[in-house]
Amino acid sequence: MSKKVVERFLKYIQIETPSDENSKTVPTTDCQFHLANRLVAEMKQLGIHDAHVDEKCYVYGWIPATSGYENIPAIGFISHMDTVSDFADHAVKPVLHENYSGKDVELGISKRVLKVSDYPHLSDLKGRTLITSDGTTILGADDKAGIAEILTMAEWVIKKEIPHGKICIAFTPDEEVGAGADYFDVKKFGANFAYTVDGGKEGEIEYENFNAALATFEVHGYNVHPGDAKDIMINAALVLMEINQMLPSGETPRDTQGYEGFYHLTNMNGSIAYAVSSYIIRDHDAKQFAKRLEVLKEIERNLNQKYGEDTVKLTIKEQYRNMAEKIRPCFHLVENAKKATLEVGVEPHIVPIRGGTDGARLSFMGLPCPNLGTGGYAFHGPYEHITVEGMEAVVQILIEIIKIYSKWLDRKK
């Protein structure tokens, strides 16, 4: 099984699939179809029914329920095909470090070093087969590891004739630019419940994520000759700096962890006449999230009183909400994932997501969908890494989840 999952993974990561946040097309990049078409062909070879990719680059396929198991809830498994665009301007060259020493690793000739001091968990991976890039690109484990794990699970279930209810499989585009669930057809997918396989360490189970919004401040300044500027000039760039200074101190991503929320400045540019800045706002607690948005609105009001109406314009776009409220009523998803993880000898870790997943949006679209770890670490940069053993454990966890749900009717007796 481990050979299958690693072979799949190494093939997938060499197909370039960065999405593009500035694109207006769906998907945002045509290259994602290259992987989608390859996955469809492979799914058909495995015997997955009606495997296809739609016009928006969503891949779907199904394994029908074993005879006599049709009344068991249909369980879905979802991963995304795209990668981030950073460090993704050329093909990935994976490097396998067999019997890894647990010490620092030089990443090819990139002069980058994967350091234990930066990633203390590396010492726990000693003896495993560690996979990295050559340090010039991302690895692509986010989320091609999830794809490899789901299809290896599917192959195992089919070949070993493991009894099961209906299994629904989907691979999505554009998750990394926040659009992975935009055109997901929940009704066609047909699952009662699902799991995204898009997390970190094997054994991770995530069902709580940030409430999230994108906030943009636009400032229209007033430019006059600096010699005549007294009480007239409004320097838009300086007003942006003032906005940032009015935010609570110590509430940036660098200063927070766990369930703590933040204001994160992502962009700032402009001049005296016009300037714009963007923030992402995050908080697990819905009431605290609402308070954060109110802080921004108050800043807008105060500065318009100071500099004149319409000097500052705030636009808030809510992005996703904490899926916990949709998962708690069907908490068997979390309990069964924990049980499956323990069954394969891995310690489950329930952790809050300091971000969001497709599963968060899908949960609010009517498909309760917690997130499972893939076995990977340090996503979105050249230090990304994963182990063969970690991926193998995830495959086993997915199989155990199938087995647990096959006993659903016994649970109801």
Side-chain angles (χ1 to χ4, degrees):
M1 188 189 300
S2 60
K3 183 178 179 181
K4 283 286 187 181
V5 72
V6 71
E7 285 179 350
R8 285 191 168 98
F9 175 66
L10 294 177
K11 286 189 296 184
Y12 301 158
I13 62 175
Q14 293 179 71
I15 302 172
E16 298 175 57
T17 58
S19 48
D20 181 0
E21 64 181 1
N22 297 313
S23 171
K24 302 301 182 183
T25 64
V26 179
T28 59
T29 52
D30 286 339
C31 62
Q32 295 178 70
F33 274 110
H34 300 161
L35 179 57
N37 290 326
R38 181 162 185 165
L39 293 175
V40 168
E42 185 174 349
M43 291 163 74
K44 289 178 177 178
Q45 290 177 351
L46 292 176
I48 295 172
H49 287 217
D50 195 24
H52 69 280
V53 56
D54 69 14
E55 71 281 1
K56 297 187 184 300
C57 203
Y58 287 74
V59 174
Y60 300 95
W62 295 269
I63 306 175
T66 304
S67 179
Y69 289 77
E70 293 87 354
N71 293 327
I72 290 169
I75 303 297
F77 297 92
I78 304 165
S79 291
H80 64 89
M81 297 176 288
D82 66 315
T83 68
V84 293
S85 56
D86 292 341
F87 295 97
D89 60 348
H90 60 278
V92 173
K93 294 181 180 179
V95 181
L96 274 67
H97 310 266
E98 296 184 357
N99 194 23
Y100 167 55
S101 68
K103 299 179 180 179
D104 292 356
V105 178
E106 293 185 3
L107 300 178
I109 59 172
S110 68
K111 297 185 179 180
R112 292 190 170 94
V113 179
L114 184 62
K115 296 180 179 180
V116 177
S117 58
D118 293 333
Y119 302 102
H121 66 265
L122 284 167
S123 59
D124 297 330
L125 305 181
K126 181 179 180 179
R128 295 189 181 191
T129 297
L130 182 72
I131 306 176
T132 69
S133 74
D134 65 356
T136 64
T137 67
I138 55 170
L139 178 61
D142 181 12
D143 189 24
K144 291 168 184 175
I147 298 172
E149 290 155 0
I150 289 171
L151 288 186
T152 304
M153 172 274 289
E155 180 178 19
W156 194 258
V157 167
I158 293 170
K159 285 189 174 181
K160 297 298 180 179
E161 298 183 346
I162 296 172
H164 57 83
K166 182 181 179 182
I167 300 172
C168 310
I169 295 170
F171 304 123
T172 65
D174 292 338
E175 189 271 351
E176 296 292 3
V177 295
D182 282 5
Y183 297 96
F184 190 97
D185 193 331
V186 171
K187 184 177 180 180
K188 180 171 80 169
F189 188 53
N192 298 104
F193 311 104
Y195 296 92
T196 50
V197 186
D198 187 24
K201 180 180 178 180
E202 65 272 17
E204 276 191 1
I205 305 165
E206 302 166 324
Y207 71 93
E208 300 172 285
N209 62 280
F210 279 139
N211 296 287
L214 173 66
T216 302
F217 282 100
E218 291 181 89
V219 181
H220 292 272
Y222 194 95
N223 193 5
V224 296
H225 190 285
D228 301 316
K230 174 66 174 171
D231 297 328
I232 299 174
M233 177 184 285
I234 301 172
N235 188 322
L238 287 177
V239 174
L240 283 189
M241 296 170 64
E242 191 173 351
I243 289 170
N244 197 65
Q245 291 171 343
M246 294 172 74
L247 292 171
S249 62
E251 296 189 18
T252 71
R254 178 181 174 86
D255 302 309
T256 56
Q257 61 184 341
Y259 289 94
E260 297 170 335
F262 55 73
Y263 304 87
H264 178 36
L265 176 63
T266 59
N267 184 60
M268 175 185 286
N269 60 73
S271 61
I272 297 172
Y274 176 79
V276 60
S277 61
S278 298
Y279 292 83
I280 58 174
I281 315 303
R282 301 289 188 264
D283 210 298
H284 276 86
D285 184 89
K287 291 183 179 179
Q288 291 299 321
F289 179 65
K291 288 181 180 179
R292 290 185 184 280
L293 299 185
E294 186 55 39
V295 167
L296 301 181
K297 295 173 185 177
E298 183 67 18
I299 290 173
E300 178 191 33
R301 287 192 292 268
N302 289 341
L303 290 179
N304 279 330
Q305 289 176 1
K306 178 178 180 179
Y307 293 110
E309 203 63 33
D310 299 326
T311 300
V312 177
K313 179 182 178 182
L314 169 65
T315 303
I316 296 175
K317 179 183 178 182
E318 294 200 26
Q319 297 171 304
Y320 49 82
R321 291 159 57 192
N322 190 343
M323 64 179 161
E325 67 180 86
K326 297 297 182 181
I327 302 299
R328 289 192 180 103
C330 42
F331 208 66
H332 57 84
L333 287 165
V334 176
E335 294 297 336
N336 287 340
K338 287 172 59 179
K339 183 177 179 181
T341 301
L342 288 168
E343 190 66 28
V344 303
V346 175
E347 186 67 28
H349 297 274
I350 297 180
V351 294
I353 308 172
R354 287 184 60 78
T357 69
D358 279 348
R361 291 184 60 195
L362 292 172
S363 293
F364 284 92
M365 291 165 64
L367 181 62
C369 195
N371 189 41
L372 303 176
T374 61
Y377 304 86
F379 299 142
H380 293 193
Y383 300 101
E384 187 180 6
H385 54 281
I386 199 167
T387 67
V388 173
E389 293 80 1
M391 287 191 289
E392 169 68 13
V394 174
V395 174
Q396 293 176 346
I397 289 168
L398 300 185
I399 292 170
E400 286 300 320
I401 288 173
I402 295 296
K403 290 179 178 179
I404 289 169
Y405 277 100
S406 74
K407 300 174 183 177
W408 179 268
L409 296 181
D410 293 339
R411 171 181 179 268
K412 292 293 185 179
K413 292 179 182 178

